[in-house]
Amino acid sequence: MTVWMKRLSLVALMAAIFAVAADRPLVAPVSAQDSANERELVPPTQGQDNNIELWRAVRGGVEGTVSIPDKRAGVLVQSEGEAWRSIRNGPLSTYGTWLMLGTIALLAAFFAYRGRIRIAGGRSGRLVLRFPAFERVVHWITAVTFILLGLTGLNMLYGRYVLIPVFGPEGFAAITMAAKVM
């Protein structure tokens, strides 16, 4: 009997939702003021694919009208994102490459200068438990996570320039999807 009651209450809930939704239109009516604002944004040559004036107005921060309480949601394109993209694709990418290559060069120079650090008396054959198993597991989980996050970050920043020429677009897409799932 409880299964039938659950199904009946679910059907009643769905009927109530559809009844409330039927009272409200799915698309808000367009007022004369909205169409006047739209006429100002759209250039006279609407047949072109490149609406320069329209996108210039959108990037300039022209706000649309929204029916939700948060009026800031009416902004279609945020100019801060455009500024970040130009920094990310310009100086951050360039200086990041030099910083990574410089770090690798410094590590190689240090290893060439110092070499391997040997145990003075040699191996004794005795093992000393330094950390318990739980701390070792947490350490290696953290290390693997750090490496995976580093690789996915490098994929986001340099994947287009490095991975696509090496693996092709399909290989890049597979690597990126695998990183997204991780």
Side-chain angles (χ1 to χ4, degrees), residues 2-3 11-12 14 16 19 54 64 68 75 127 159 180:
T2 59
V3 173
V11 169
M14 291 180 68
L54 171 70
I68 59 175
V75 177
L127 296 176
K180 179 182 169 188

Side-chain angles (χ1 to χ4, degrees), residues 34-174:
D34 291 341
S35 62
N37 288 340
E38 189 175 335
R39 271 187 258 128
E40 292 173 11
L41 295 178
V42 178
T45 56
Q46 291 183 1
Q48 295 179 353
D49 291 335
N50 189 5
N51 293 324
I52 296 171
E53 295 299 321
L54 171 70
W55 287 108
R56 195 172 288 149
V58 167
R59 286 193 181 105
V62 173
E63 292 188 14
T65 56
V66 291
S67 61
I68 59 175
D70 186 13
K71 298 301 178 193
R72 293 178 294 170
V75 177
L76 184 61
V77 175
Q78 295 177 349
S79 60
E80 293 85 10
E82 192 75 25
W84 166 247
R85 188 174 67 84
S86 65
I87 291 171
R88 179 188 171 274
N89 291 341
L92 182 67
S93 180
T94 304
Y95 295 141
T97 303
W98 286 110
L99 184 65
M100 282 190 298
L101 293 175
T103 303
I104 292 171
L106 280 174
L107 288 173
F110 177 76
F111 184 74
Y113 172 74
R114 178 73 170 129
R116 290 183 180 256
I117 301 172
R118 307 252 180 226
I119 301 173
R123 293 186 179 261
S124 67
R126 287 188 321 169
L127 296 176
V128 177
L129 181 64
R130 190 166 177 190
F131 297 105
F134 177 74
E135 290 182 13
R136 288 185 302 221
V137 168
V138 169
H139 169 80
W140 284 109
I141 288 174
T142 305
V144 168
T145 305
F146 179 80
I147 290 170
L148 288 176
L149 285 172
L151 291 175
T152 56
L154 288 173
N155 183 19
M156 287 176 58
L157 191 58
Y158 299 111
R160 181 183 312 161
Y161 309 113
V162 176
L163 296 179
I164 288 180
V166 174
F167 296 111
E170 292 83 13
F172 172 71

